[in-house]
């Protein structure tokens, strides 16, 4: 596919480079007289491309809010701003909104939609002066709230149709089955830990849950109905409740606890329960079918999966390109 496709839509993805010529993460969308960065680090003053807004879809590190949050031109949901401040211990300097709000970003009307990937995760959508509608998804768990669009800018974390690990369903029943006192769940502090608490509470378990300090603060600060939580101050002391810590800290807990990792991966020492923050390749394909974009640009993550998904989309009749294919 030629870049002419983007020119016709009146919106051009740009990749910023470092002084050494390496590509900076993610992309800047150029349209009319605007440059909207999507999930990138901040520009330095002497860089050729200085975005007029930094859209931050959510607070995971590989979406670079840690850097963008220090710009007054950053834009993210209230929960994402809070999560960034808690995770990185810095003050968020930009603009915030409630997910679902339509906001003014430098004169452009931008709509926002939940994606249920993490607390605060959201998609952005706007129209340029030639009537092209763009939707930027960030990482996704659920696309059902997203609008139809002409240009879809999305992820492919599990986008390789030839890879069996890109097909999965959440094993909520599997997690519910193991819930009892004195078990430990390995879950990343931001995203997975809150999903675990949500599933545990929905299953009717309202006893105290013990969590490592970061998970505890994030869950308490971001979830309004998290129920009773307790911060772990000493790992090797006995924990008679359900305990949630990052996967790499499970071995610090007493040996008599039953331990599980909430993951789709199979390379952990402890048994895995498949609970994912993402949709699988079937979900990604269904999203493209549903939103009917003229072009899909796959901007995340690094690695080969965006290219694999773009190739597959093109094969089945949807125009798609991976960011790595853009010069
Ligand atoms: Zn993410």
């Amino acid at each position: 596919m030629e870049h002419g496709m983007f020119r016709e839509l009146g919106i051009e993805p740009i990749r910023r480079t470092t002084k050494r010529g390496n590509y900076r993460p993610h992309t800047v969308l150029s349209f009319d007289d605007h440059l909207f960065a999507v999930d990138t680090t901040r520009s330095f003053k002497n860089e050729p491309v200085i975005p007029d807004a930094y859209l931050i879809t959510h607070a995971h590190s590989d979406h670079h809010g840690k850097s963008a949050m220090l710009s007054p031109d950053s834009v993210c949901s209230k929960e994402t701003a809070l999560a960034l401040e808690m995770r990185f211990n810095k003050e968020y300097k930009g603009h915030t909104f409630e997910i679902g709000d339509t906001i003014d970003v430098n004169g452009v009307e931008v709509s926002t939609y939940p994606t249920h990937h993490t607390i605060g995760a959201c998609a952005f959508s706007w129209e340029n002066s030639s009537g092209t509608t763009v939707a930027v998804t960030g990482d996704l768990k659920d696309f059902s709230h997203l609008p139809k669009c002409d240009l879809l800018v999305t992820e492919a974390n599990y986008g390789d149709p030839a890879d069996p690990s890109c097909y999965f369903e959440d094993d909520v029943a599997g997690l519910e089955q193991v819930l009892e006192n004195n078990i430990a769940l390995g879950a990343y502090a931001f995203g997975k830990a809150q999903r675990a608490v949500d599933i545990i509470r929905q299953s009717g378990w309202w006893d105290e849950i013990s969590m490592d300090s970061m998970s505890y603060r994030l869950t308490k600060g971001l979830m309004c109905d998290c129920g009773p939580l307790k911060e772990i101050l000493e790992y090797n002391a006995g924990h008679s409740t359900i305990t949630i810590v990052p996967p790499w800290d499970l071995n610090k807990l007493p040996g008599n606890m039953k331990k599980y990792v909430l993951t789709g991966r199979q390379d952990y020492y402890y048994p895995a329960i498949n609970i994912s923050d993402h949709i699988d390749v079937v979900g990604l394909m269904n999203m493209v079918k549903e939103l009917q974009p003229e072009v899909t640009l796959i901007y995340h993550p690094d690695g080969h999966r965006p290219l694999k998904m773009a190739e597959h989309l093109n094969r089945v009749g949807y125009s798609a390109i991976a960011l790595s294919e853009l010069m």
Side-chain angles (χ1 to χ4, degrees), residues 15 23 297-299 301 303-304 306-307 321-327:
R15 301 183 77 193
Y23 284 115
L297 169 66
I298 303 162
Y299 82 110
H304 67 280
L307 197 55
I321 188 162
L323 192 61
S324 62
E325 295 178 88
L326 296 178
M327 291 301 135

Side-chain angles (χ1 to χ4, degrees), residues 58 60 62-63 117-118 139 157 278 300:
H58 65 290
H60 273 150
D62 54 346
H63 293 255
H117 166 64
T118 62
D139 289 343
N157 277 280
H278 291 272
H300 180 75

Side-chain angles (χ1 to χ4, degrees), residues 77-317:
S77 71
K78 285 189 169 138
E79 296 89 342
T80 294
L82 197 57
L84 288 170
E85 289 191 334
M86 284 193 273
R87 294 195 68 200
F88 302 117
N89 210 10
K90 292 174 184 167
E91 191 192 342
Y92 176 79
K93 300 268 173 62
H95 305 272
T96 60
F97 55 84
E98 301 277 358
I99 298 176
D101 284 355
T102 297
I103 51 172
D104 182 297
V105 181
N106 292 351
V108 184
E109 206 173 272
V110 176
S111 302
T112 64
Y113 310 86
T115 59
H116 300 284
H117 166 64
T118 62
I119 290 180
C122 92
F124 299 92
S125 165
W126 66 91
E127 202 178 298
N128 71 2
S129 62
S130 22
T132 298
T133 306
V134 190
V136 171
T137 70
D139 289 343
L140 286 157
K141 181 68 181 172
D142 177 352
F143 65 83
S144 63
H145 305 282
L146 304 188
K148 288 203 168 40
C149 57
D150 304 307
L151 173 60
L152 176 65
V153 181
T154 194
E155 58 118 330
N157 277 280
Y158 295 92
D160 180 358
D163 184 339
S165 71
C166 289
Y167 298 80
F168 54 80
E169 275 177 38
D170 277 352
D171 189 10
V172 174
L175 175 54
E176 285 174 350
Q177 261 169 26
V178 303
L179 295 180
E180 58 177 334
N181 282 321
N182 203 32
I183 64 147
L185 304 172
Y188 294 125
F190 178 61
K192 204 66 76 74
Q194 292 78 45
R195 190 173 299 280
V197 170
D198 187 41
I199 294 170
I200 293 168
R201 296 311 186 206
Q202 293 221 22
S203 79
W205 185 284
W206 284 95
D207 292 352
E208 199 168 63
I209 298 173
S210 300
M211 303 179 99
D212 66 284
S213 301
M214 182 53 86
S215 307
Y216 171 82
R217 274 188 284 147
L218 285 163
T219 308
K220 216 153 178 85
L222 295 168
M223 268 180 93
C224 43
D225 46 1
C226 59
L229 304 179
K230 189 172 123 194
E231 185 178 1
I232 297 175
L233 299 172
E234 233 182 307
Y235 267 77
N236 52 12
H239 305 284
S240 56
T241 57
I242 291 176
T243 297
I244 300 176
V245 297
W248 50 87
D249 280 349
L250 282 171
N251 61 0
K252 297 184 189 164
L253 291 165
N256 66 349
M257 297 179 87
K258 282 190 197 159
K259 297 168 185 174
Y260 307 89
V261 184
L262 304 186
T263 181
R265 288 164 44 176
Q266 299 296 332
D267 51 352
Y268 283 102
Y269 171 74
Y270 301 104
I273 300 173
N274 196 346
I275 298 289
S276 179
D277 294 334
H278 291 272
I279 49 173
D280 70 351
V281 67
V282 177
L284 289 166
M285 292 302 293
N286 284 340
M287 169 177 66
V288 176
K289 272 180 220 160
E290 191 69 34
L291 304 186
Q292 300 173 3
E294 283 180 42
V295 182
T296 300
L297 169 66
I298 303 162
Y299 82 110
H300 180 75
D302 284 343
H304 67 280
R305 280 185 173 164
L307 197 55
K308 296 281 180 192
M309 185 171 147
E311 282 168 3
H312 181 68
L313 281 168
N314 284 312
R315 248 190 326 264
V316 296

